[in-house]
Amino acid sequence: TTTSSSSSTQKQHQMQQHDQQGPQGAAVAAPLKLLDVGSCYNAFDGTKNVDVTAIDLSPAVPSVVQHDFVSPTIISKAQPHSKSSAVDGTRASDAPLAYPTPPMPFALVTHSYDVVVFNFLLSYLPTPSLRFRCCVNAWRCLKQSGILIITTPDSSHQLKAAAMVKAWKKTIEEIGFRRWKYEKTTHFHGLVFRAIKSQHIPESVSLAPRASTAATQDDVAPPTVQREESVFAWASEDLVAGLARPSDTVFQDS
């Protein structure tokens, strides 16, 4: 009986090791970190080997964090942060604390994601400048060679929007991407880009919130705003206009 029990325990241990290893005993790679912007209902939730962070201005399910990606909180890897929103009070560290502390606000981390997804997002932003900001922020969140996936609805034939798609490609590549794949399906355009080193966006800029909210007469504008604006200061009006859509004429861009 003892031998049988020992054999069963050994088999269970071997099965656990097999689950943690890939082919030929190799360790399974860490899950891909995916940022789903404008997620709504968290479509990627439960995807195997994918660690999903889902954000939206108006989440449809509790697993999506309410956050504005046009003006997000982006911090460096060295700064403490929480993947969850400040509402639920989840902390980045699970270590027990001897005294109560306020919850850490949600923040994105620079160059920490393998994939950023804009699924039918850019088309619903009313101006080219807002689209441009989202693409720059995607670059700041992606790792080197990370992937930006963009889908935008269009049920017309491919050539009708050819000029728009060409302009989008050129503008997004100017930010710090290289186009990897493009496909026009029956109802949408699909574009995939890889993040490369940007010639414009400073690596050292952190869009972290300031330590104190108290402002003096000499410090009217919060440092966060100043740092954020410096990220976009290099962009010309002509470049930003490359992310226009035919329907943008009804909007006044700022």
Side-chain angles (χ1 to χ4, degrees):
T1 305
T2 303
T3 303
S4 177
S5 177
S6 175
S7 177
S8 177
T9 302
Q10 185 177 6
K11 287 183 179 179
Q12 290 179 355
H13 179 68
Q14 290 175 346
M15 291 177 64
Q16 290 175 354
Q17 285 185 325
H18 182 269
D19 291 339
Q20 297 172 355
Q21 293 178 341
Q24 300 179 353
V28 175
L32 288 174
K33 294 193 65 178
L34 183 147
L35 176 61
D36 186 13
V37 183
S39 176
C40 187
Y41 60 90
N42 201 357
F44 295 100
D45 188 28
T47 304
K48 188 176 181 181
N49 295 328
V50 177
D51 178 14
V52 181
T53 300
I55 64 175
D56 197 297
L57 270 178
S58 183
V61 294
S63 60
V64 178
V65 177
Q66 186 174 28
H67 202 67
D68 181 7
F69 199 67
V70 172
S71 300
T73 300
I74 304 178
I75 63 176
S76 66
K77 293 182 179 181
Q79 294 174 278
H81 67 285
S82 171
K83 182 178 176 179
S84 301
S85 65
V87 176
D88 62 21
T90 303
R91 297 184 56 85
S93 173
D94 294 329
L97 298 174
Y99 53 89
T101 59
M104 292 181 181
F106 174 84
L108 299 168
V109 181
T110 56
H111 306 307
S112 62
Y113 290 93
D114 300 291
V115 183
V116 172
V117 177
F118 291 167
N119 187 25
F120 288 13
L121 171 74
L122 297 184
S123 302
Y124 293 97
L125 297 176
T127 65
S129 64
L130 296 180
R131 298 181 200 119
F132 186 85
R133 283 175 173 267
C134 282
C135 291
V136 170
N137 290 331
W139 184 91
R140 290 198 52 74
C141 289
L142 282 168
K143 300 176 181 177
Q144 185 77 10
S145 297
I147 292 176
L148 171 62
I149 301 174
I150 299 173
T151 61
T152 186
D154 185 1
S155 297
S156 61
H157 61 84
Q158 182 171 355
L159 295 179
K160 185 175 181 178
M164 183 200 79
V165 173
K166 182 179 179 180
W168 279 32
K169 293 174 184 175
K170 181 179 179 180
T171 300
I172 294 172
E173 287 187 335
E174 185 67 22
I175 291 171
F177 291 94
R178 285 293 177 266
R179 181 168 60 92
W180 185 38
K181 187 176 182 180
Y182 166 74
E183 183 177 351
K184 172 64 172 74
T185 69
T186 304
H187 298 296
F188 67 87
H189 299 273
L191 302 95
V192 183
F193 297 85
R194 282 196 180 275
I196 61 173
K197 186 174 178 60
S198 176
Q199 298 179 357
H200 307 288
I201 308 173
E203 293 277 356
S204 60
V205 173
S206 174
L207 307 188
R210 61 187 308 187
S212 173
T213 57
T216 66
Q217 292 180 350
D218 296 329
D219 184 23
V220 176
T224 299
V225 175
Q226 294 173 357
R227 287 196 297 269
E228 180 178 349
E229 292 306 316
S230 70
V231 176
F232 305 100
W234 56 271
S236 67
E237 291 184 5
D238 290 341
L239 177 63
V240 174
L243 286 176
R245 285 177 56 86
S247 59
D248 289 344
T249 54
V250 300
F251 296 101
Q252 291 296 321
D253 197 5
S254 58

